[in-house]
Amino acid sequence: MAAKEDSVPAGWEGEDDTKEDESKAIEFERTAEARHAEKVANRQRNLDAKTHHPPDSFFRTLDSSVKKNSVFVKKLSSLTEQNREKLVADLNSLNLTKYIEEVVNAICSAKLKMQDMNCAIHLCSLLHRRYSDFSPLLLKTLQAALGNLNKDDKVARIRIELRLLGQVLVLGIITDQKEGFTLLHNTLCKMVEADKDKLEFLPAMVSFVKHCGEDILGVQSTKNRQMVEQHDITLPAMKILSKDKQQIFADLLKEYSSAVIVALVKLHNKLIKCLKHNKKTLLMKGEVSAEKTELCEKLTAQHSKLLMNATSLSELLDITIPDLPSLQQLEDEEMDSNATANAATDLGEVSLWEDEDQKTFYRDILDLTGIVPQILYKKDKAKADQKAKEEEESKKKEEKENKGKDGKEEKEEEITEESIEEEFKKLNIEEDEEDDEEEEEIVVTETTQNTNNKDNPDGFGTSTITISNKAMMETFINKLSNISNRDLVNEAAQEFCLKLNTKSNRKKLVRALYGVSRNRLDLLPFHARLVRTLSPILPDIPTDLFTLLKKEFIYHLRKKDQNNLETKVKNIRFIGELCKFEMCEKTDALWCLRVLLEQFTHHNIEIACSLVECCGRYLFRSSDTHLKTNHLLDQMMRKKAVHNLDTRQITMVENAYYYCNPPDRVAYVKKVRPPLHEYIRKLLIRDLNKNNIEKILRQFRKLPWNDNEVSMYAVKCLCRVWNVKYNNIYCVASLLAGLAQFQETVGILVVDNVLEAIRIGMEINQPQYNQRRIAEAKLLGELYNYRMVESNIIFNTLYLVISFGALPDGTNPIDLSQDMIRIRIVLTILETCGQYFEKGSLKKKCDIFLLFFQKYLFNKVQPLPIDVEYAIQDTLESIRPNITMYNSVSEVDQAIAEISPQLRNLLGSQEDAEETEEDEDTETEDQPGEETPDEKEDEVKVNKKLEVVKCEEDDDFIAELERTMTSELTGRKMDSTVNKVNSSDLALPMNRGFKGHKIDGNSVQFSVMLKKGSKQQFKKMDIPVESEFASNLFDKQKAALREREEMKRLVLSQELRQEEEELMAEQLDQHKGGNPGYRAGERKQKPRKAPQLTTDMFNFSSAK
C-alpha cells in the first residue's frame, strides 16, 4: 500500500517534462535574442566606423616604435583565444598606421584553430574601427587567398578563410558589402563545382553553414525549426541580404548537399559489398587476407567521417538524409574476420589442451640440435631448407597468377592407385640407387681387403658391417610397434639420428610409419611425436609422410568404395595427429574435413567423425581456425539433419560435434552470504528434524532479533519452506509456534507472507512454482495444527483457492480446465489439518466446503487424471469416509440448495459461535466428561462408578478366605523352605472398592480374593499389628509417602525455576503479554474458533 501511495499519478511525469522543455525553450529564445542584439550592435558600430575614424592627433599620442609594432605583428601570426586580452591591450596602446598591411597579412596567414576565430574576428573589428584602410586591405588579401582553390596547400586553410570571410561580412567589417558577397558567391561556386566528387571542402562547408547560415542563407537548422514549431517562439534574424539573394546562396549549398548524399550512398553500398565479400571469404576459407581487411577498415573510416559531416550539413540546411541499411550486424561479422583477435575473444581463456599432461605431450619436444652433432645433419637440413624455399617461391608465383580470381579453387590432380604405386616405386628407386652406391663402396673396400689379405678371401669383416647396418634398421623399425611413452620416443629419435641417419633409412622410416597397422591406432600419437622430434634435423620426413597420407586420402575419396574402413580411419587420424604436432598445415586438415562433408555418405561419415574427434577440438580452440572450424561443424550438423542417417551414425556425429563444441553451461556462482545468514540456513534446511526442534529453537532465540536485517532474513527463511524437506515442514511450524511465544511479530509476519504467497501463486499460475505452492499449502495446514492460525483463515483460503478466477468453462488463464494444481493445494491442506474438522461446527463447515469443492471439480476436464482421482479419494476417505460423491453438477447444486437454510443460519450465528468457541474449548479440555452444545451429535458416554452391594455369598466368601489365609500362614511358618522367601514381597489381591486398611484395636483388617469356580469371592481377615506382615506393609506405605513428597517438592521447584527463567527471557526481549501458543513440538488438541465464511462468496446475502 505504501508503494501505491508514493507512486506518481499517471500524467504528472509528462507534465513535468513539458514544463522543463518549455523553460528550456524560453531560455534558448533569450540566448538567441541576446546573441542577435550583440551582432546587430557590432555590425552597426562597424558600419558607422568609416565616418567616425579617430583624427591624426589621436595617433600621435600612441606608441609608434618599430620594435613594439614588429613584436605585435609577430604575436598576431600566432594569436590564440588565451592571448586576447594582451593583444587588445597592445592594440590600444600602439600606432599601427604604417603597419596595417603587415597586420592584415599576419591575421590571414596565422595558423588559426576554430576556437581562435572569435579572437581574430574581435581584433578585426577593433582594427577596422580605428584604421580606415584596414577593410580594403583585408578584402584584397582574402580575394588573393580564395582566388585559386586548386592548390593542395589551400585545402587545409580554406575552412578558416571561408569562415573568416563570412563573419567579417556579417559584422560589417568589410565596408564594400557588394564586392565582399560577390567574392563569397564566386568562392562557393568554385568549391561546389570542383568538389562534387572528392568532397575535400565538406568540413569547410559545414563550418561556414554552422556559423553564417542563418545570417547569409536565411536557413534555420532542423533543431531550431522544431523548437520554434513546438513551443511557438520567435528567433530573430539579421536582415543583411534580401530573400532572393539568400535563396541564391541556399540553393548553392543545397546542391552541394545533394552531391554529398549521393557520394554517401555510393560509399555505403561499396562498404556493404566489401563486408559481404569478407564474410563470404571467411566462411569459405576460414580467413580474410590482410589487403581485404585493410581495405574494409579504410572504407569504414571514410564512411564514418562522411556520414558525420553529411548528417551535420543536412541538419544545418534542414534537409533529410535517406535511410541507409544498417551496418551494425555486418560490421560485427566483419570484425570477426580478424580471426586471431576476435576468435581469441570468443574462446576467452579456453586452453587448446585438456590438461597439462596433454599439453606436455604435444608441446614439450626433445631438442635434438643440442644432442646430435651438426655434421650429421647439416647437409640434409640445407637441402631441405632450399627445397622449402623453392616451394614457397612457387606458391607465391601461383598466387600472383591466380590473383583476382576470387571464388575459384584449384583443381586437385586425380590420384589413382597407379600414381601411389609410382610414388612408392620412385622411393624404392632412390633407395636402390643409394644402396647400390653403398654397395659399390663396400665392394671396393672388400676388394682392397682381399688384395691385401689373401688369408681372408670372404671379407668377413666388411660383410659383417653391412649386415649389421641393415639389421639395426630392421630392429629399429620393429621397435616402433612397442613405443608407448614419451621416453621411448625420445630414445628412438636419438638412436635414429646418431646411428641410422642415411637417405635410404629415412625413406624406410617414412614407409614404416606410413604402413603402421590399421588396428594399432594407439601408436599414431607416438609416431607423430617421433616425426615432430626429428623434424628440426630431418625436415623431409614430415613432408614425405604427409604427402603419402594425403595422396592415400584422396585415392580412397575418389574410389568411393565401401571397403577398408579401418585403413581409412587410420589414415585420417594420422593426419589429425600430425596437425596437432604442427607437422602439417591446419588448413590441410580443414580441407580434408570440408571435402568429406561435401560427400557426407557411407564411410565418409565415420571418417569425418574420426577426424573431428582426433583434432577437431584443437582446430576449434585455435584462434586462427576457430571460425572456419565452427562453420564446418555447423555444416556437419545440418548435413545430419538433412540426410537419412541411422541411429549409430547420428550418435557418432553428435558425439564428435559436442566433443569439439560442448554446449554452453552457465557456471554456478555461489551466492556469498554473511556467516550469520549461512548459519540460519544451516539450522533450517540441513539440521532441522523431529529430534532437535527444541535445540534449534534455543539457537533461534539467541539470534539478534533487534537487528532488522537478521530478523527479516530469518523470517524470509521461515517463509521459504520449499527449501526444507517436505516431511520436515511440520518441524518448521513447530519451531515457529515455539518461537512466537518470545518473538510475537515473527509469527505474524510468517503467516502474512504465506497467505500472500498463496494468493500470488494463484495470480501468476506458472508451472515452475507448483512445488513451491504445495509446500506453502502444507505449511499453512501445519500452522493451524500448532494454533498459529484460526480455522476461519483455513476455510477462507480453501474457498479462495476454488473461487479466485475460476470459471465454469475453465477458460481463465490463471485457472485452466486442464490445470490441477489448485486441486492438489486443497487436498494438501485437508490432509494436513482436516483431521480436526470432525466435530461440532467445524464439521459442518468442512462438509459445506466439500460440496463446493465437488462443484469446483466439475470445472476441470473430465475425466480427471488418474493420479488426481486417486489423491481425491485417499484424502476424502481419511477425513470423511462416508461422504457422498455426486456424479454431475446438477446434483451438487441440488445438495447446495438443500443446505442453504442451514448455511444462512450458520452465517447468522457466526458471531455467537466465535464468542463462545474459546470457552467451549477450555471447558472441553478441563472436563472431558462433559459435552458442549455443538457436540450433541457426538456424545461421549462415561460409565458411572460401580457400587458394591452386600450379599450372603460375599460373607461366606470372606469367612472362607480368612480361614484359608490363616491355615496357609501357619503352614508356611513351619516350612523351612518358605522361610527363605521374603514375606514383604508377597502381594495380596485387594477389593476394587477397598480404599485402605482398617485398624481395629490390635489387628489390621484385610480383604482376600478367592476364586470358587468361575466366580471371585472376597473375605475379610484380621492380622495382628505386631506381625511381620503388617509391619512390612506399614513401612512400605511410609516409604512411598516420603517418596511422593520428595517428588512433589522437586517438581514444584523445577516449575518455579522454569517460570523464573521464562520471566527473565521475556524481560530481556521486552515483550509484554506473551503469545499463549504452545511449546515447540506440542500439537493442538482442538481449534479454538469456528471458521468464518464469506457471505458474498456464495451470494446468500439476498436470501438471508
Side-chain angles (χ1 to χ4, degrees):
M1 295 297 293
K4 294 182 179 180
E5 294 175 359
D6 295 340
S7 60
V8 179
W12 288 18
E13 186 176 357
E15 294 179 1
D16 294 341
D17 294 341
T18 304
K19 291 180 180 179
E20 185 177 358
D21 294 341
E22 291 179 355
S23 62
K24 289 182 179 179
I26 295 173
E27 184 66 24
F28 177 77
E29 183 180 12
R30 292 176 182 175
T31 304
E33 289 178 354
R35 187 168 58 251
H36 175 263
E38 183 180 0
K39 280 185 180 181
V40 171
N42 289 333
R43 176 178 174 81
Q44 190 61 38
R45 292 180 61 183
N46 291 331
L47 293 176
D48 296 341
K50 59 182 179 181
T51 58
H52 296 82
H53 287 297
D56 296 338
S57 57
F58 172 76
F59 294 103
R60 296 191 189 99
T61 60
L62 302 178
D63 191 353
S64 302
S65 61
V66 178
K67 182 178 180 180
K68 291 184 178 182
N69 287 330
S70 300
V71 172
F72 180 74
V73 171
K74 290 182 179 180
K75 290 181 179 180
L76 291 177
S77 300
S78 59
L79 66 89
T80 58
E81 183 67 27
Q82 290 78 8
N83 299 332
R84 173 189 284 200
E85 296 180 358
K86 188 178 293 185
L87 292 174
V88 171
D90 293 341
L91 176 62
N92 293 330
S93 62
L94 295 176
N95 182 7
L96 301 172
T97 305
K98 298 179 181 181
Y99 301 93
I100 293 300
E101 186 173 357
E102 288 81 353
V103 169
V104 172
N105 291 332
I107 293 175
C108 293
S109 61
K111 297 180 179 180
L112 298 175
K113 297 180 180 180
M114 297 306 295
Q115 58 266 27
D116 301 330
M117 287 300 299
N118 292 330
C119 178
I121 299 298
H122 181 64
L123 292 176
C124 290
S125 297
L126 297 179
L127 290 170
H128 167 67
R129 295 170 190 172
R130 180 169 292 188
Y131 303 101
S132 58
D133 50 350
F134 175 80
S135 178
L137 288 174
L138 179 62
L139 179 60
K140 182 179 178 181
T141 304
L142 291 176
Q143 285 176 344
L146 298 173
N148 187 5
L149 300 177
N150 296 326
K151 294 182 180 181
D152 295 337
D153 57 344
K154 290 293 183 180
V155 176
R157 292 191 50 79
I158 191 65
R159 183 180 180 185
I160 301 297
E161 294 171 351
L162 185 63
R163 179 182 170 183
L164 180 63
L165 176 60
Q167 287 195 317
V168 295
L169 287 173
V170 171
L171 295 178
I173 297 175
I174 295 181
T175 55
D176 192 351
Q177 294 278 296
K178 182 178 180 181
E179 187 175 357
F181 280 107
T182 302
L183 173 62
L184 178 61
H185 182 265
N186 294 336
T187 303
L188 292 176
C189 288
K190 291 179 183 180
M191 293 173 65
V192 171
E193 292 296 331
D195 200 41
K196 285 186 178 180
D197 297 330
K198 296 182 179 180
L199 302 179
E200 295 177 347
F201 299 135
L202 179 57
M205 289 291 193
V206 173
S207 178
F208 172 75
V209 175
K210 181 178 180 181
H211 295 91
C212 307
E214 294 183 359
D215 300 327
I216 297 177
L217 307 181
V219 178
Q220 288 184 343
S221 64
T222 304
K223 180 180 179 181
N224 293 348
R225 179 181 57 79
Q226 293 176 353
M227 185 77 73
V228 171
E229 292 176 356
Q230 183 176 358
H231 300 284
D232 194 16
I233 60 176
T234 303
L235 298 180
M238 296 183 67
K239 298 180 180 179
I240 301 174
L241 298 175
S242 62
K243 292 185 178 181
D244 296 338
K245 293 181 179 181
Q246 287 181 344
Q247 189 64 36
I248 293 173
F249 283 99
D251 293 341
L252 191 61
L253 269 297
K254 289 180 180 179
E255 180 183 354
Y256 184 77
S257 178
S258 301
V260 171
I261 293 175
V262 172
L264 176 63
V265 173
K266 290 182 179 180
L267 183 60
H268 187 83
N269 295 333
K270 186 177 180 181
L271 178 58
I272 290 179
K273 184 177 180 181
C274 181
L275 291 173
K276 289 183 178 180
H277 180 267
N278 285 355
K279 179 184 176 182
K280 184 178 179 181
T281 304
L282 176 64
L283 296 178
M284 295 298 297
K285 298 182 179 180
E287 59 180 358
V288 181
S289 63
E291 296 178 358
K292 296 292 184 182
T293 304
E294 292 177 1
L295 176 60
C296 190
E297 292 176 354
K298 184 179 178 181
L299 290 177
T300 303
Q302 293 177 358
H303 178 270
S304 300
K305 184 177 180 181
L306 181 59
L307 179 61
M308 180 183 65
N309 290 327
T311 304
S312 300
L313 183 62
S314 61
E315 185 178 354
L316 292 171
L317 296 176
D318 198 10
I319 298 175
T320 303
I321 290 184
D323 296 333
L324 300 175
S326 176
L327 288 176
Q328 187 63 35
Q329 184 177 1
L330 289 174
E331 285 177 357
D332 294 341
E333 296 173 354
E334 190 276 332
M335 288 177 66
D336 290 339
S337 65
N338 299 325
T340 302
N342 292 280
T345 302
D346 295 339
L347 293 172
E349 299 180 357
V350 177
S351 174
L352 291 174
W353 316 107
E354 292 302 311
D355 49 31
E356 288 298 326
D357 291 339
Q358 190 181 40
K359 181 179 180 181
T360 302
F361 182 80
Y362 285 99
R363 287 295 177 262
D364 188 7
I365 307 299
L366 178 65
D367 186 8
L368 292 178
T369 57
I371 300 175
V372 180
Q374 191 174 4
I375 192 172
L376 296 179
Y377 64 89
K378 184 176 182 181
K379 294 181 180 180
D380 298 330
K381 187 176 181 181
K383 291 179 181 180
D385 293 341
Q386 184 178 359
K387 185 178 179 181
K389 289 181 181 179
E390 292 176 358
E391 291 179 356
E392 289 180 1
E393 291 178 359
S394 62
K395 287 182 180 180
K396 289 181 180 179
K397 289 181 180 180
E398 292 177 359
E399 289 178 358
K400 290 181 181 179
E401 292 176 358
N402 297 329
K403 189 176 182 180
K405 298 180 181 180
D406 297 335
K408 295 183 179 180
E409 300 179 358
E410 297 180 359
K411 295 183 179 180
E412 298 288 343
E413 60 176 352
E414 187 171 353
I415 305 299
T416 60
E417 188 173 3
E418 289 76 8
S419 63
I420 295 178
E421 292 296 334
E422 291 177 1
E423 188 70 26
F424 277 117
K425 289 180 181 179
K426 186 184 294 184
L427 293 173
N428 293 332
I429 289 171
E430 293 176 355
E431 293 171 3
D432 294 339
E433 290 177 354
E434 189 166 351
D435 291 341
D436 293 340
E437 293 176 359
E438 294 178 357
E439 288 176 0
E440 288 177 359
E441 295 177 357
I442 293 169
V443 168
V444 171
T445 306
E446 184 178 3
T447 304
T448 306
Q449 290 180 353
N450 289 335
T451 303
N452 296 332
N453 188 4
K454 295 181 180 180
D455 296 334
N456 188 8
D458 296 333
F460 179 79
T462 306
S463 63
T464 304
I465 295 174
T466 305
I467 295 173
S468 176
N469 190 5
K470 291 182 179 179
M472 287 176 63
M473 189 61 197
E474 292 177 359
T475 304
F476 179 81
I477 292 175
N478 293 331
K479 287 181 180 179
L480 293 179
S481 59
N482 298 323
I483 294 178
S484 59
N485 55 55
R486 289 176 290 177
D487 295 335
L488 294 178
V489 172
N490 296 338
E491 292 176 2
Q494 295 182 44
E495 181 182 356
F496 184 83
C497 291
L498 294 174
K499 300 179 182 180
L500 304 171
N501 185 15
T502 62
K503 187 174 182 180
S504 61
N505 287 342
R506 289 197 295 271
K507 297 296 182 181
K508 290 179 181 179
L509 177 61
V510 171
R511 186 170 56 189
L513 295 174
Y514 170 75
V516 66
S517 175
R518 63 179 183 273
N519 298 323
R520 295 299 305 274
L521 298 181
D522 58 304
L523 296 177
L524 298 181
F526 300 103
H527 288 183
R529 181 180 172 87
L530 177 61
V531 174
R532 173 66 180 87
T533 306
L534 295 173
S535 61
I537 294 177
L538 306 174
D540 55 335
I541 291 179
T543 304
D544 296 341
L545 179 59
F546 178 71
T547 301
L548 291 175
L549 293 172
K550 186 175 180 181
K551 287 182 180 295
E552 184 183 5
F553 170 77
I554 297 173
Y555 165 71
H556 288 298
L557 192 67
R558 301 279 183 175
K559 194 174 181 181
K560 297 182 181 179
D561 61 348
Q562 303 305 313
N563 302 321
N564 303 322
L565 175 61
E566 294 178 349
T567 302
K568 297 175 184 178
V569 172
K570 182 263 296 183
N571 176 269
I572 200 65
R573 292 187 73 90
F574 210 157
I575 293 175
E577 293 295 339
L578 292 177
C579 177
K580 288 195 285 187
F581 279 105
E582 298 181 350
M583 290 294 95
C584 67
E585 297 293 334
K586 297 177 183 177
T587 53
D588 293 330
L590 291 175
W591 178 85
C592 294
L593 180 58
R594 182 170 62 84
V595 172
L596 290 171
L597 292 178
E598 290 177 357
Q599 304 177 14
F600 201 61
T601 56
H602 303 297
H603 284 180
N604 290 350
I605 298 175
E606 298 188 23
I607 297 172
C609 293
S610 298
L611 178 60
V612 172
E613 290 176 355
C614 182
C615 64
R617 179 178 293 184
Y618 170 76
L619 297 172
F620 183 79
R621 294 184 177 183
S622 298
S623 58
D624 53 343
T625 56
H626 168 72
L627 297 176
K628 179 62 175 177
T629 307
N630 189 25
H631 170 68
L632 293 176
L633 291 176
D634 293 341
Q635 184 179 352
M636 183 174 69
M637 295 299 288
R638 291 195 297 270
K639 293 275 187 179
K640 182 209 70 169
V642 173
H643 290 68
N644 187 17
L645 307 180
D646 57 23
T647 306
R648 183 182 64 86
Q649 293 173 335
I650 292 174
T651 304
M652 290 176 58
V653 173
E654 291 179 350
N655 290 343
Y657 177 82
Y658 290 115
Y659 177 76
C660 297
N661 185 16
D664 295 334
R665 295 179 180 177
V666 180
Y668 175 73
V669 180
K670 185 178 181 181
K671 188 176 181 180
V672 179
R673 300 183 180 90
L676 189 55
H677 291 186
E678 291 287 353
Y679 182 66
I680 294 173
R681 292 175 60 85
K682 173 183 176 296
L683 291 177
L684 280 178
I685 299 175
R686 286 184 289 179
D687 296 348
L688 183 62
N689 56 59
K690 63 180 181 180
N691 297 323
N692 60 1
I693 298 177
E694 292 289 345
K695 178 182 176 181
I696 292 179
L697 174 59
R698 288 194 297 269
Q699 298 299 320
F700 262 79
R701 289 179 57 190
K702 295 177 182 179
L703 295 177
W705 293 100
N706 295 330
D707 188 349
N708 186 45
E709 180 181 359
V710 175
S711 61
M712 288 298 101
Y713 188 78
V715 171
K716 177 181 177 182
C717 292
L718 290 170
C719 294
R720 295 194 170 189
V721 72
W722 56 86
N723 293 325
V724 183
K725 293 182 180 179
Y726 185 80
N727 293 332
N728 288 342
I729 292 179
Y730 79 92
C731 299
V732 177
S734 177
L735 175 67
L736 186 62
L739 186 62
Q741 299 182 30
F742 308 97
Q743 303 293 336
E744 185 176 0
T745 56
V746 174
I748 297 173
L749 290 175
V750 171
V751 172
D752 289 346
N753 291 339
V754 170
L755 294 176
E756 184 178 2
I758 294 175
R759 175 65 179 260
I760 293 175
M762 291 188 291
E763 294 176 355
I764 298 176
N765 193 29
Q766 295 183 3
Q768 62 264 31
Y769 298 134
N770 287 352
Q771 185 176 1
R772 178 181 301 185
R773 296 171 66 183
I774 294 296
E776 291 167 348
K778 175 72 173 178
L779 178 61
L780 181 62
E782 294 293 349
L783 290 177
Y784 174 77
N785 292 343
Y786 287 96
R787 306 189 68 176
M788 293 296 295
V789 297
E790 302 296 343
S791 59
N792 61 336
I793 295 178
I794 297 296
F795 280 97
N796 286 342
T797 303
L798 290 173
Y799 283 116
L800 181 66
V801 171
I802 64 174
S803 63
F804 182 78
L807 299 177
D809 54 357
T811 57
N812 195 335
I814 64 175
D815 188 27
L816 298 174
S817 59
Q818 64 270 19
D819 191 359
M820 304 294 167
I821 182 60
R822 294 199 182 189
I823 298 177
R824 297 186 183 277
I825 291 175
V826 172
L827 297 179
T828 302
I829 296 176
L830 292 178
E831 287 178 357
T832 305
C833 60
Q835 57 184 329
Y836 298 109
F837 304 150
E838 297 180 352
K839 297 180 181 180
S841 60
L842 294 183
K843 179 181 179 182
K844 297 178 182 179
K845 305 301 182 184
C846 185
D847 292 341
I848 294 172
F849 168 75
L850 291 177
L851 287 176
F852 287 98
F853 179 59
Q854 291 189 54
K855 182 177 181 180
Y856 173 76
L857 294 178
F858 288 105
N859 295 343
K860 299 300 179 180
V861 59
Q862 300 294 330
L864 296 174
I866 190 66
D867 57 335
V868 177
E869 186 71 30
Y870 286 161
I872 294 173
Q873 293 177 4
D874 294 342
T875 303
L876 296 182
E877 185 178 356
S878 63
I879 62 174
R880 291 294 184 273
N882 301 324
I883 188 172
T884 302
M885 298 300 295
Y886 299 97
N887 299 323
S888 63
V889 182
S890 59
E891 294 180 1
V892 178
D893 292 338
Q894 184 178 359
I896 293 175
E898 292 176 357
I899 66 166
S900 295
Q902 300 178 11
L903 183 60
R904 286 195 295 269
N905 295 333
L906 194 61
L907 292 173
S909 61
Q910 182 177 358
E911 296 181 358
D912 298 336
E914 292 178 357
E915 293 176 356
T916 59
E917 185 179 356
E918 185 173 357
D919 297 335
E920 294 173 1
D921 292 341
T922 305
E923 294 175 0
T924 304
E925 294 173 1
D926 296 340
Q927 302 176 2
E930 299 180 2
E931 63 175 338
T932 60
D934 292 335
E935 297 175 353
K936 291 182 179 180
E937 352 177 299
D938 300 315
E939 295 180 353
V940 180
K941 297 181 179 180
V942 181
N943 295 328
K944 294 183 179 180
K945 189 175 180 180
L946 298 178
E947 297 180 358
V948 179
V949 180
K950 294 182 178 182
C951 58
E952 296 180 357
E953 294 178 354
D954 291 341
D955 296 337
D956 297 339
F957 171 76
I958 292 173
E960 186 67 25
L961 177 61
E962 291 177 352
R963 194 165 44 252
T964 303
M965 289 298 298
T966 303
S967 62
E968 285 292 334
L969 287 175
T970 306
R972 286 181 181 271
K973 287 181 181 181
M974 301 301 294
D975 192 356
S976 60
T977 58
V978 176
N979 292 335
K980 298 179 181 179
V981 181
N982 189 1
S983 61
S984 62
D985 294 335
L986 298 177
L988 297 177
M990 303 180 67
N991 188 10
R992 186 174 182 182
F994 178 71
K995 294 184 178 180
H997 303 288
K998 297 181 179 181
I999 301 175
D1000 187 9
N1002 296 328
S1003 63
V1004 181
Q1005 189 179 33
F1006 287 88
S1007 294
V1008 181
M1009 181 179 69
L1010 298 178
K1011 187 173 183 181
K1012 187 176 183 180
S1014 60
K1015 295 183 180 180
Q1016 294 179 354
Q1017 297 180 358
F1018 294 89
K1019 292 186 177 182
K1020 294 182 180 180
M1021 181 178 63
D1022 294 334
I1023 296 178
V1025 178
E1026 296 82 7
S1027 66
E1028 184 179 0
F1029 183 84
S1031 61
N1032 289 339
L1033 181 61
F1034 292 149
D1035 293 340
K1036 281 187 176 182
Q1037 290 180 351
K1038 292 179 182 179
L1041 181 61
R1042 287 195 300 271
E1043 185 178 356
R1044 285 197 299 271
E1045 293 294 333
E1046 181 65 19
M1047 183 63 66
K1048 181 177 180 181
R1049 185 185 63 81
L1050 293 176
V1051 171
L1052 292 177
S1053 61
Q1054 180 68 19
E1055 290 181 354
L1056 181 61
R1057 185 163 55 254
Q1058 288 182 357
E1059 291 176 358
E1060 291 176 356
E1061 289 178 358
E1062 291 175 358
L1063 181 61
M1064 292 176 64
E1066 291 177 357
Q1067 292 177 355
L1068 290 175
D1069 294 338
Q1070 295 181 357
H1071 286 282
K1072 297 180 180 180
N1075 185 8
Y1078 278 57
R1079 293 183 183 178
E1082 182 182 356
R1083 295 207 176 205
K1084 66 176 288 178
Q1085 300 298 326
K1086 180 177 172 60
R1088 292 180 296 178
K1089 292 187 179 181
Q1092 180 179 354
L1093 297 179
T1094 308
T1095 56
D1096 56 352
M1097 185 180 297
F1098 308 106
N1099 297 323
F1100 286 136
S1101 58
S1102 59
K1104 182 174 179 179

